[in-house]
């Protein structure tokens, strides 16, 4: 398997989860709004899509590519992808703030959250296609077979650490 394999598998789950979140959020009204469901969606995006998935992309793949002499097109696309990750993080932070506003009595926050989730559900498939169809296949040429295998092994190692990182942070937060 090439390093893009696990990333593409993760993309499929991200797409499915955001489509589900979009459908469920769109069906909510201020009276049926479920802040716990939104917390679950946020946890998925923060932990799986951002920390786990984007973590492998940015901390391993993009960092490794940053040591290579990329052509102008690939360098530009990589910077676009990083900016898109930042934008998605900003949108998720807005959801967190809005969900707290809802919990504090601002029922109008429900509609704003629905709009952002809808935006994310439309944004990610376009972002993902750029990675799957253009960037990943084209940037493999910068690595030899041993480097590709090393990237894949680093991805697996990264994944093994994620559960420990998440629950170590949870303990630290609860401990205070």
């Amino acid at each position: 398997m090439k390093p893009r394999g696990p990333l593409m598998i993760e993309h499929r789950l991200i797409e499915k989860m955001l489509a589900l979140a979009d459908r469920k959020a769109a069906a909510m009204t201020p009276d049926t709004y479920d802040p716990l469901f939104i917390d679950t969606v946020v946890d998925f995006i923060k932990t799986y899509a951002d920390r786990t998935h984007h973590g492998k992309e940015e901390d391993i793949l993009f960092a490794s590519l940053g040591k290579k002499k990329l052509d102008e097109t690939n360098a530009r696309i990589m910077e676009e992808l990083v900016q898109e990750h930042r934008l998605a993080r900003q949108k998720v932070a807005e959801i967190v703030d809005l969900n707290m506003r809802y919990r504090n009595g601002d029922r109008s926050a429900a509609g704003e959250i629905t709009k952002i989730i809808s935006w994310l559900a439309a944004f990610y498939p376009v972002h993902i296609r750029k990675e799957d169809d253009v960037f990943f296949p084209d940037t493999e040429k910068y690595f030899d077979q041993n480097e590709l295998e090393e990237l894949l092994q680093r991805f697996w190692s990264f994944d093994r650490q994620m559960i420990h990182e998440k629950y170590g942070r949870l303990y630290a937060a609860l401990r205070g």
Side-chain angles (χ1 to χ4, degrees):
M1 178 181 289
K2 293 183 179 184
R4 69 176 140 154
L7 298 175
M8 292 173 73
I9 290 167
E10 291 167 3
H11 282 163
R12 302 298 75 81
L13 182 57
I14 292 166
E15 290 169 329
K16 289 188 286 190
M17 181 63 167
L18 288 172
L20 173 68
D22 189 30
R23 284 191 309 274
K24 287 189 174 273
M28 290 182 202
T29 68
D31 293 328
T32 63
Y33 179 80
D34 183 356
L36 184 56
F37 172 74
I38 300 304
D39 287 340
T40 303
V41 171
V42 166
D43 179 67
F44 174 85
I45 296 170
K46 282 182 159 187
T47 303
Y48 189 80
D50 191 34
R51 181 66 190 113
T52 303
H53 178 74
H54 293 164
K56 282 196 285 286
E57 289 177 345
E58 293 177 4
D59 299 345
I60 299 172
L61 178 61
F62 296 178
S64 297
L65 284 167
K67 297 174 185 171
K68 306 286 185 177
K69 184 166 174 43
L70 300 183
D71 64 40
E72 186 178 317
T73 300
N74 285 314
R76 178 186 48 77
I77 292 172
M78 188 164 72
E79 181 56 33
E80 286 174 9
L81 295 171
V82 170
Q83 291 302 324
E84 290 171 4
H85 292 173
R86 287 186 187 130
L87 179 58
R89 286 181 193 113
Q90 290 170 354
K91 294 294 186 180
V92 172
E94 288 177 38
I95 292 171
V96 170
D97 291 342
L98 287 162
N99 206 28
M100 185 55 69
R101 276 181 32 202
Y102 181 88
R103 283 188 163 103
N104 290 329
D106 181 357
R107 294 167 59 83
S108 71
E112 294 177 56
I113 289 170
T114 298
K115 288 176 189 172
I116 295 171
I117 289 175
S118 181
W119 183 90
L120 287 167
F123 164 81
Y124 262 100
V126 174
H127 171 81
I128 285 169
R129 275 191 290 286
K130 186 187 304 185
E131 290 178 338
D132 285 357
D133 298 344
V134 179
F135 189 72
F136 293 163
D138 199 42
T139 56
E140 284 178 355
K141 67 186 176 193
Y142 295 104
F143 300 106
D144 64 30
Q145 190 57 44
N146 289 336
E147 291 172 313
L148 289 171
E149 181 59 34
E150 180 188 334
L151 285 171
L152 186 59
Q153 292 307 313
R154 289 175 64 198
F155 285 177
W156 298 137
S157 178
F158 187 92
D159 281 348
R160 283 191 295 277
Q161 295 303 313
M162 283 308 304
I163 193 79
H164 302 287
E165 180 180 308
K166 176 178 171 130
Y167 289 103
R169 285 184 184 161
L170 174 65
Y171 168 74
L174 292 173
R175 181 186 67 204

